[in-house]
Amino acid sequence: MASTVNDSAGARPGYGQLLRTRGAWTFLLPGFLARQPFAMLTIGILLLVNDTTGSYGTAGTVSATAGVAMALFAPQSGKLADRFGQAAVLIPGVVVHAAAISLLTALALSDAPLWALLAAAVPAGASTPQIGPMVRARWASKLEGSPLMSTAAAFESVTDEFTFVIGPVLATALCTGVHPAAGLIAEAVLTLAGGLLFASQRRTQPQVSRTAAGAAAGGRRASALSVPGVRVLAVVMLGIGTVFGGMQVSMTAFTKEMGDPGLNGLMYGAFAAGNMIAGIVCGIVAWKSSAQRRLLMAFPLLVLATTPLWAAHSMVLLGALGLLVGLCIAPSLITGYTLVEKLVPASTRTEAFTWLTGAVGLGQAAGATVGGRLIDAHSASTGFLVPLGGTAAALVVLLVLRKALTPRSESVVAARGVGHREPVPVD
């Protein structure tokens, strides 16, 4: 690891220099393949169950059950990966996930009762591999002490946003153009193939720390959630998740109401493309303000951007508003992941990332459930009130508890070199 840090220390941090890091492509390519299902799961369930039951509320409930299970079990997966290694968690996990998705698909196509769909959705969500946090942990292990760590944080957020461009569009295209179950089947295949390929790259996985190993035996290691700042960031990510969930179910219903459901993928793609574009820009900008201040500026803008969604009356207007909302999401996501790296020790790094990722999934599930109920009771437009309500509530928590986001020691932050383009001394 020392040679990697020294090789990159003399260069100006940038995406090109980051991607030339020795061994990076061995986990980036399989990691990209394996993380696609994360963005395909909930919308794939939503579209399949809606097709078989005709109810957005039922579809949202089943989708939300998978999302809640994923959010609750993701941190446990992160803890296990920190203690025993990523491969030890991934290999059995992806096999279980593929089997659970197969069961859920078969039940939906056979018109099984709601309780059976909900029972199958739990293991389907709980076994979703946490590839994004694992890739972030590999970057952190490889680049610790390097100024390229900040670039890696931005790069991973851009990759996540690109995943939310490709995944939902692919799932929607398969469900509407091939078969209602095609999206979930593709999700299971990608999870199994990508997950096993990623797990096979053992040379780049973080070594199990002595602290984590000792805690595994004694059970006394503190959780990353014990850090107050991580709890605040989890609430912020929960609010962002309601945007993803509310937009998915509401755009699906809106395009169907307008008589052209095939455009759902394009509408959601515009929203996700905004995330990706803003993410790329965030990684390029040489930020002078602190990460905490950037979050306090970016998140209120997201709340404002979600305000006019419910009033959209045409595909063009909805696409433009969705793009605007997407542009406002990436700055908050990137800054949140940057902050959590500053707040937690290396021994709980993967777990901390999974708490944030799980919070997004939980918010997405809640957004899909509430949005689906509102749509069934009223119209597609009312579903767009969910992103506004979710982000507004999270903003209140963020403003009240903002002091918890201040790192305990600025010297520790400088040594890790996590902030975007902040000068970092490297030994």
Side-chain angles (χ1 to χ4, degrees):
M1 183 174 67
S3 60
T4 303
V5 172
N6 291 334
D7 289 343
S8 60
R12 182 182 184 275
Y15 291 125
Q17 180 69 16
L18 177 72
L19 296 178
R20 288 193 292 272
T21 300
R22 191 177 305 131
W25 287 103
T26 63
F27 64 86
L28 282 182
L29 289 179
F32 180 77
L33 175 67
R35 73 172 62 185
Q36 294 306 312
F38 184 83
M40 297 174 66
L41 178 63
T42 54
I43 194 169
I45 295 174
L46 181 73
L47 293 172
L48 174 60
V49 177
N50 176 250
D51 181 82
T52 56
T53 65
S55 170
Y56 287 105
T58 299
T61 300
V62 178
S63 176
T65 300
V68 170
M70 178 171 58
L72 294 178
F73 281 85
Q76 308 310 315
S77 173
K79 283 183 179 180
L80 292 174
D82 282 332
R83 294 179 180 181
F84 304 111
Q86 295 181 358
V89 175
L90 269 178
I91 294 174
V94 296
V95 174
V96 171
H97 184 76
I101 290 296
S102 300
L103 175 61
L104 177 59
T105 302
L107 290 172
L109 293 176
S110 62
D111 296 322
L114 178 59
W115 67 265
L117 296 177
L118 295 177
V122 172
S127 59
T128 303
Q130 300 301 310
I131 301 296
M134 289 183 179
V135 172
R136 283 182 166 89
R138 292 191 184 212
W139 276 125
S141 175
K142 203 169 187 63
L143 298 174
E144 191 166 6
S146 167
L148 283 175
M149 192 58 238
S150 62
T151 310
F155 179 81
E156 283 307 307
S157 292
V158 171
T159 305
D160 282 339
E161 306 308 334
F162 191 52
T163 298
F164 277 99
V165 173
I166 299 295
V169 173
L170 176 60
T172 301
L174 290 172
C175 289
T176 58
V178 179
H179 188 276
L184 274 186
I185 293 173
E187 191 271 352
V189 172
L190 284 173
T191 297
L192 187 61
L196 292 177
L197 184 59
F198 181 81
S200 69
Q201 308 303 314
R202 295 175 182 267
R203 289 186 178 182
T204 55
Q205 74 173 357
Q207 294 183 351
V208 178
S209 67
R210 293 180 180 179
T211 302
R220 289 178 286 183
R221 183 170 65 98
S223 169
L225 199 62
S226 64
V227 179
V230 174
R231 296 197 293 270
V232 175
L233 290 174
V235 173
V236 170
M237 296 299 174
L238 189 68
I240 291 176
T242 64
V243 179
F244 286 119
M247 294 289 277
Q248 280 183 355
V249 69
S250 299
M251 283 183 165
T252 300
F254 186 87
T255 53
K256 192 171 183 179
E257 279 187 5
M258 298 296 288
D260 202 345
L263 288 179
N264 178 42
L266 180 62
M267 291 291 101
Y268 195 82
F271 160 65
N275 300 345
M276 184 179 64
I277 293 170
I280 293 173
V281 173
C282 285
I284 295 173
V285 173
W287 298 105
K288 294 182 179 179
S289 59
S290 67
Q292 181 190 27
R293 182 175 299 178
R294 294 201 303 272
L295 183 60
L296 291 172
M297 293 175 61
F299 202 76
L301 292 177
L302 175 59
V303 179
L304 289 176
T306 62
T307 303
L309 284 171
W310 67 273
H313 54 78
S314 69
M315 294 284 199
V316 174
L317 180 57
L318 178 60
L321 291 174
L323 178 65
L324 176 62
V325 173
L327 288 170
C328 294
I329 283 183
S332 295
L333 272 175
I334 291 175
T335 309
Y337 279 111
T338 300
L339 274 168
V340 80
E341 265 200 275
K342 296 181 177 184
L343 295 168
V344 301
S347 61
T348 58
R349 187 173 282 148
T350 306
E351 182 199 346
F353 286 140
T354 53
W355 275 114
L356 266 62
T357 304
V360 173
L362 183 59
Q364 186 175 7
T369 302
V370 176
R373 297 298 179 186
L374 288 174
I375 290 167
D376 281 345
H378 303 285
S379 66
S381 297
T382 58
F384 289 114
L385 293 173
V386 172
L388 173 59
T391 53
L395 177 60
V396 173
V397 175
L398 173 61
L399 293 176
V400 172
L401 302 177
R402 61 187 181 276
K403 290 184 179 180
L405 299 178
T406 302
R408 293 180 180 178
S409 172
E410 293 298 330
S411 62
V412 172
V413 174
R416 289 177 182 170
V418 178
H420 290 283
R421 303 300 187 271
E422 294 170 3
V424 180
V426 180
D427 295 331

